[in-house]
Amino acid sequence: MKSVYIIHGWDGSPEEPLHQWLKAQLESKGYQVTVPAMPNPEVPVIKDWILKIMETVVPSDNVILVGHSVGCQAILRSVEVLAEGTKIAGIVLIAPWMELDEQTVQEEGEEVREIAQPWMETPIDFKKVKKHTDRVITIFSDNDPYVPVSQKDLFEDKLDAETFVLEGYGHFSPADGVDKLPVVLDVIESIKQS
């Protein structure tokens, strides 16, 4: 069966309208969809999030992983450590957060830097990620306060990612009023699963 796992972001939840909309849409098309509650989302810790994904996802060429914000990094880090020869159908990254800007630190306080630092400083082996999937798709917004569109170059360069840049979606969060995202549905359906 075709399976999709949706990994929410920092301070996020499986109950976010976008995740629930995507789950309902995919289930109506015959996908099995899981949206796990990630541990301690207010203070995400790399090893805890990787462990949760590894406990939840049964990797196979029927599996598509969809992440939002720091959930994208958690996906990349969990795919990186998959067993040799294990393949998944694809990865969809919505607003793939990789670094923290000073404006965010000023607005949200110094503690965000402490939480973000391990995520920014622990390298991801993109070559290993690439060995485990043939399709990586990234979706950016031209007005995202946390993820500059220039980040797309990293994903295109390291993962041969297909990139979409949308206008006016902010960080694709409930605060931005984003409760559906048809392009995600389209790209998931374009990923070949066995």
Side-chain angles (χ1 to χ4, degrees), residues 123-138:
I124 296 170
D125 188 332
F126 290 102
K127 284 189 177 133
K128 283 187 178 171
V129 173
K130 250 181 104 165
K131 283 183 181 177
H132 297 293
T133 188
D134 297 325
R135 291 284 303 277
V136 178
I137 297 147
T138 58

Side-chain angles (χ1 to χ4, degrees), residues 22-174:
L22 188 55
K23 182 177 192 291
Q25 294 294 311
L26 289 168
E27 286 175 344
S28 75
K29 295 173 183 291
Y31 290 82
Q32 180 179 333
V33 184
T34 306
V35 192
M38 299 305 285
N40 201 8
E42 302 80 21
V43 186
V45 174
I46 291 172
K47 67 176 175 42
D48 297 344
W49 280 44
I50 291 174
L51 187 62
K52 179 67 176 183
I53 292 172
M54 291 174 82
E55 288 171 355
T56 306
V57 176
V58 180
S60 77
D61 55 8
N62 285 326
V63 166
I64 296 172
L65 300 175
V66 179
H68 174 244
S69 194
V70 86
C72 299
Q73 264 208 54
I75 285 172
L76 294 173
R77 293 176 186 283
S78 62
V79 169
E80 173 189 357
V81 298
L82 286 174
E84 191 71 35
T86 303
K87 292 281 264 190
I88 60 170
I91 299 171
V92 180
L93 305 174
I94 304 166
W97 177 85
M98 297 298 282
E99 52 190 52
L100 196 61
D101 66 349
E102 281 308 310
Q103 183 181 339
T104 303
V105 174
Q106 288 166 12
E107 288 172 5
E108 306 207 9
E110 196 60 40
E111 63 275 4
V112 297
R113 191 193 313 269
E114 289 171 39
I115 296 166
Q117 211 153 4
W119 293 91
M120 295 188 300
E121 293 178 357
T122 308
I124 296 170
D125 188 332
F126 290 102
K127 284 189 177 133
K128 283 187 178 171
V129 173
K130 250 181 104 165
K131 283 183 181 177
H132 297 293
T133 188
D134 297 325
R135 291 284 303 277
V136 178
I137 297 147
T138 58
I139 300 170
F140 293 85
S141 171
D142 65 353
N143 67 337
D144 190 326
Y146 307 110
V147 181
V149 172
S150 59
Q151 284 283 306
K152 74 184 183 64
D153 299 342
L154 168 74
F155 295 97
E156 290 171 349
D157 179 49
K158 301 287 188 189
L159 295 171
D160 296 328
E162 301 160 55
T163 303
F164 293 82
V165 179
L166 307 183
E167 288 182 22
Y169 278 81
H171 194 54
F172 301 94
S173 65

